[in-house]
């Protein structure tokens, strides 16, 4: 499977994995290994709420992955900016997954707050991975602010609905051909991840579908295989759907030679 590059870093895995909600640190570590992921997200706000990480982050780093701290739980641009600076100090990375929630029911990102926070963080030297909706104009504003990667949702976070608006996702891919696009949130099954990759997206980020599985390790492997299959299919050229039946074994009009 081909590599892709974000903020000057080449990644060989197109699977970005979350770290919340696993039954044990061992299950998390084994799931990371099974997934093949090179980037793992960690929520600083949730870590602080748990009164310290108790070696949680060190355990993740033992897997040899790169941390992508996130601002999950933030409701304003100011709060997200503050948390991003704390994450940079604590984890020693300028990478940040930016989340600014605008609606309590759907946990939909606030487009104005996200763009505002992204612009400021980029000025402060961060490599911003913004969690956003599949709205093309919002995505364009984030690119104008200096973001080099976008992370549109497939569905509301944790819902497991898959790709609820394939048309919007296809539009993003077509209108932003040179931008790394990562489907983030709402993925519930390996087939959803494969579908995202077949649309030409560069990677998938998910958490709950693995951490809440009966067997997280096997599910992580299943997602890794699905993502690889979907990307390989995209690169090979997925057959376009047609309105009418087309014979797969024509009996005339196609000469061939017999040795």
């Amino acid at each position: 499977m081909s590599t892709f590059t974000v903020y000057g870093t080449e990644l060989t895995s197109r699977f970005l994995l979350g770290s919340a909600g696993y039954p044990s640190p061992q299950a998390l570590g084994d799931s990371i290994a099974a997934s093949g992921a090179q980037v793992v997200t960690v929520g600083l706000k949730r870590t602080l709420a748990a009164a310290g990480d108790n070696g949680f982050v060190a355990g993740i780093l033992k897997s040899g992955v790169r941390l992508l701290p996130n601002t999950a739980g933030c409701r304003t641009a100011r709060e997200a900016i503050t948390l991003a600076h704390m994450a940079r100090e604590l984890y020693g990375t300028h990478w940040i997954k930016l989340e600014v929630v605008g609606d309590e029911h759907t946990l939909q990102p606030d487009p104005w707050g996200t763009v505002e926070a992204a612009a400021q963080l980029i000025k402060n030297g961060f490599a911003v991975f913004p969690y956003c909706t599949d709205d093309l104009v919002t995505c364009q504003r984030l690119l104008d602010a200096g973001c080099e990667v976008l992370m549109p949702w497939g569905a509301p976070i944790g819902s497991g609905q898959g790709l609820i608006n394939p048309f919007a996702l296809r539009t993003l891919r077509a209108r932003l051909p040179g931008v790394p696009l990562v489907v983030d949130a709402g993925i519930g099954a390996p087939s959803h991840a494969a579908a995202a990759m077949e649309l030409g997206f560069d990677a998938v980020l998910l958490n709950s579908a693995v951490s809440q599985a009966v067997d997280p390790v096997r599910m992580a492997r299943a997602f890794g295989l699905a993502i690889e299959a979907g990307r390989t299919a995209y690169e090979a050229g997925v057959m376009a759907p047609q309105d009418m039946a087309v014979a797969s074994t024509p009996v005339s009009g196609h000469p061939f030679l017999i040795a």
Side-chain angles (χ1 to χ4, degrees):
M1 185 166 57
S2 61
T3 62
F4 78 112
T5 301
V6 286
Y7 290 107
T9 298
E10 186 177 68
L11 300 173
T12 57
S13 172
R14 294 174 180 269
F15 188 1
L16 287 69
L17 187 63
S19 60
Y22 286 82
S24 68
Q26 183 67 47
L28 171 58
D30 291 345
S31 296
I32 293 172
S35 72
Q38 294 175 288
V39 177
V40 173
T41 66
V42 58
L44 177 58
K45 194 166 187 177
R46 294 193 180 102
T47 299
L48 293 175
D53 67 28
N54 297 315
F56 173 71
V57 172
I60 294 174
L61 291 174
K62 285 182 181 178
S63 301
V65 298
R66 179 159 189 160
L67 283 184
L68 178 59
N70 67 47
T71 62
C74 291
R75 266 57 181 176
T76 66
R78 182 176 181 179
E79 185 182 11
I81 292 167
T82 299
L83 198 64
H85 281 270
M86 293 174 63
R88 183 163 64 179
E89 291 297 318
L90 284 173
Y91 301 141
T93 177
H94 66 294
W95 280 21
I96 192 76
K97 181 190 172 189
L98 175 62
E99 298 184 35
V100 182
V101 172
D103 179 73
E104 294 300 322
H105 178 67
T106 63
L107 299 181
Q108 180 173 325
D110 176 347
W112 292 274
T114 302
V115 172
E116 177 187 348
Q120 184 59 53
L121 289 171
I122 288 166
K123 289 178 182 177
N124 297 153
F126 285 87
V128 178
F129 294 67
Y131 170 53
C132 55
T133 64
D134 51 21
D135 178 71
L136 175 60
V137 175
T138 299
C139 289
Q140 289 173 326
R141 296 294 178 269
L142 287 166
L143 295 175
D144 292 342
C147 295
E148 297 182 14
V149 59
L150 299 172
M151 306 183 78
W153 69 357
I157 192 167
S159 69
Q161 296 181 62
L163 310 183
I164 60 173
N165 194 346
F167 172 79
L169 294 174
R170 281 195 297 267
T171 300
L172 282 183
R173 181 70 287 172
R175 296 287 292 124
L176 306 172
V179 178
L181 298 177
V182 181
V183 172
D184 177 14
I187 298 294
S191 57
H192 300 157
M197 300 304 291
E198 288 173 4
L199 289 176
F201 279 73
D202 296 280
V204 170
L205 192 158
L206 59 92
N207 187 142
S208 300
V210 170
S211 67
Q212 304 303 309
V214 174
D215 187 335
V217 179
R218 292 185 69 186
M219 187 61 76
R221 182 171 181 271
F223 269 105
L225 293 171
I227 290 167
E228 181 175 356
R231 181 64 189 186
T232 302
Y234 171 74
E235 292 174 346
V238 178
M239 178 181 177
Q242 302 185 65
D243 293 333
M244 301 290 290
V246 178
S248 59
T249 310
V251 295
S252 64
H254 294 270
F256 59 90
L257 300 177
I258 300 176

